[in-house]
Structure formats: structure tokens, C-alpha cells
Amino acid sequence: MQTPTIGIARPRNMERLPDYETSIRRAGGNVVVVDVHRDELATAFNALDGLLLTGGADVDPELYGERQQRTVHPAKRRRDLFEIAIARLAVERDVPLFAICRGAQVLNVALGGNLVQDIPTEIESALPHKIEEPLAEFAHEVNVADGSLLRRSMNDMLSNRGCRVNSRHRQAVKRLGRDLVVSARAPDGVIEAIEHTGARFCLGVQWHPENFWHTGEFHLLFEAFVAACQERPTRRLIQRPTVN
Ligand code: MN
């Protein structure tokens, strides 16, 4: 069986890249970095068997029709638009998509959803969700939905209710995008994972499973993703836009 090629959206902080790369490689995938500043959308997309969206700055609230609150630090507009476009392509073509932290928020916005801009002010009795260091520190539990892709993928690694996760986010999914469902919540109700009901593998998690590659808590998640990328029967090519 051929080793699938998985595109990792270039994270803002390149020091964070090795954990994503190592997690994919240990699960049996090849890695290419997809860079908004270098790659054309069609060229980038056509080379991939799967797409990993990574962490980073906030999605500009304008892109989901809201005014920006004081605490928001928007990403570069170009990165927002590129990742939204490539996430939509992955969903349309049923190319496996694993979206982490900001990536999960990008996925939700790409499909018409919106975000909690600031958890501490919008969610009553919220747990601390922004614990920066150490990267692989457990911050809170998540309850994982029965029958979800997340539960099936994590399998034996879950207790009855779910698992413990790290947490480095001030924002979260609010109103769900088209065909998305909640697959995990924190005990305070914050949405911690979403998935697409019509896709073979389209999952967004609010935590950072890639930081645990050395201890393996989320290895099954990366294995399930890479396995879905491997199943992909043929590349679903898109045409480069033509200028008339
Ligand atoms: Mn959290």
C-alpha cells in the first residue's frame, strides 16, 4: 500500500511544526508543508491525500459576519482565506481532513458556522482553557459523544466518558457549520471537537494532540486519520482557475 501524502498547513510559529510532522510520520504518513505564501490553492490541494490544519491566530470575525471583540488577534487575511478555501475543497471532495485548534475553528467557519470570540466573557463558569506551558500538560477532561468518529478512532484509549486534553485556546466553536456535529465537549459546555456527518474522515479538535507524540495518548487518532488518507481511491483533482 502506498504511503499517503499529508499536507500540513504551515503554522505561524514554525517551532510548532515538528510535533505535527512527527505525529503524522509515526502514524505512517508522508508530510508536505502547504504554505499560503508559496503554493497556489489548486497545486497544493491536488498533491494531497489528506489535509492537516494547524494552530495559530484567530479567524477574523468579519469572515463569520461579526464585529471583532477587543481580545481577538486575527491571523493574516491571506492565511484565513487560503485555509477556508482548502478546507471547503477537502469537504467537497471527501479528502480526509484533520483540523487542530485554530484548524477546527477554520473548518467551522468554512462551513458557515461562527465562534465564541472570548471564552472567559461569553461562557459562564468556564474552566481555564488557555494554559500555554508545558505544551503536553493536561488541562481538563472532554466528554466524547457515543458513536462519533472521534470515539471510534480513539477506541481503547477512552474511558466511558472521554479523556483528558491540553488546552491553549481563548475561542471555540459556537453555532455549527453545515453538516457538522459536536463530538466532544468540556465539562463547562465548551465545544472541544466537531466532525462532518457526510465525510469519511473530517474531524476538528480544539486541543493539541500532536504535543503528545512521545507519550502516545492520541496516537490512535493520527493512525485513524492516516488510514483514511490511505484508503483514498483516486486523487480528486481540481482544475486551476482559468483567466478569460
Ligand atoms: Mn479546552
Side-chain angles (χ1 to χ4, degrees):
M1 218 183 287
Q2 245 191 333
T3 305
T5 297
I6 291 156
I8 300 183
R10 186 190 193 281
R12 179 183 46 164
N13 180 353
M14 287 298 274
E15 285 173 18
R16 298 287 161 86
L17 184 63
D19 279 4
Y20 294 109
E21 290 180 317
T22 306
S23 295
I24 293 293
R25 291 204 177 105
R26 286 172 77 103
N30 284 336
V31 164
V32 292
V33 175
V34 177
D35 186 346
V36 54
H37 299 293
R38 187 193 59 204
D39 300 321
E40 271 185 57
L41 182 64
T43 316
F45 182 81
N46 287 345
L48 304 181
D49 299 307
L51 175 66
L52 184 83
L53 292 179
T54 54
D58 302 328
V59 177
D60 190 331
E62 214 179 85
L63 296 172
Y64 47 89
E66 288 182 17
R67 285 183 54 194
Q68 182 180 320
Q69 290 177 16
R70 191 176 41 83
T71 50
V72 172
H73 301 286
K76 293 242 163 59
R77 174 58 62 105
R78 227 172 131 189
R79 184 180 176 194
D80 276 350
L81 295 179
F82 182 84
E83 291 183 357
I84 284 171
I86 206 166
R88 283 183 183 148
L89 279 174
V91 170
E92 280 166 20
R93 311 290 157 129
D94 200 15
V95 169
L97 170 58
F98 190 18
I100 292 176
C101 198
R102 162 186 157 86
Q105 298 167 6
V106 167
L107 170 63
N108 192 50
V109 171
L111 299 181
N114 66 4
L115 304 176
V116 174
Q117 289 191 40
D118 186 57
I119 290 172
T121 56
E122 290 185 50
I123 309 279
E124 212 178 318
S125 314
L127 295 165
H129 283 274
K130 196 148 178 66
I131 298 162
E132 292 290 339
E133 299 279 346
L135 299 180
E137 178 86 344
F138 288 115
H140 60 75
E141 298 253 330
V142 294
N143 300 320
V144 176
D146 286 338
S148 60
L149 169 69
L150 179 59
R151 183 167 279 282
R152 290 197 304 278
S153 303
M154 289 284 291
N155 200 6
D156 299 337
M157 298 295 280
L158 297 179
S159 69
N160 279 341
R161 297 173 66 200
C163 60
R164 292 184 300 164
V165 300
N166 55 350
S167 193
R168 293 203 298 278
H169 58 113
R170 198 192 301 99
Q171 304 200 331
V173 168
K174 187 154 80 179
R175 184 190 70 239
L176 289 163
R178 274 183 309 283
D179 300 322
L180 293 173
V181 292
V182 173
S183 36
R185 280 183 197 270
D188 57 8
V190 167
I191 294 175
E192 287 279 340
I194 54 175
E195 56 192 62
H196 193 283
T197 52
R200 285 181 302 131
F201 191 107
C202 178
L203 175 67
V205 299
Q206 191 57 68
W207 67 94
H208 284 276
E210 79 281 6
N211 295 141
F212 294 89
W213 62 263
H214 46 288
T215 46
E217 276 86 349
F218 299 101
H219 183 62
L220 290 174
L221 210 43
F222 285 96
E223 275 194 349
F225 172 52
V226 172
C229 299
Q230 211 154 26
E231 277 169 20
R232 187 176 172 202
T234 50
R235 293 189 193 276
R236 292 150 171 81
L237 298 181
I238 59 164
Q239 302 297 314
R240 290 168 65 163
T242 48
V243 181
N244 292 316

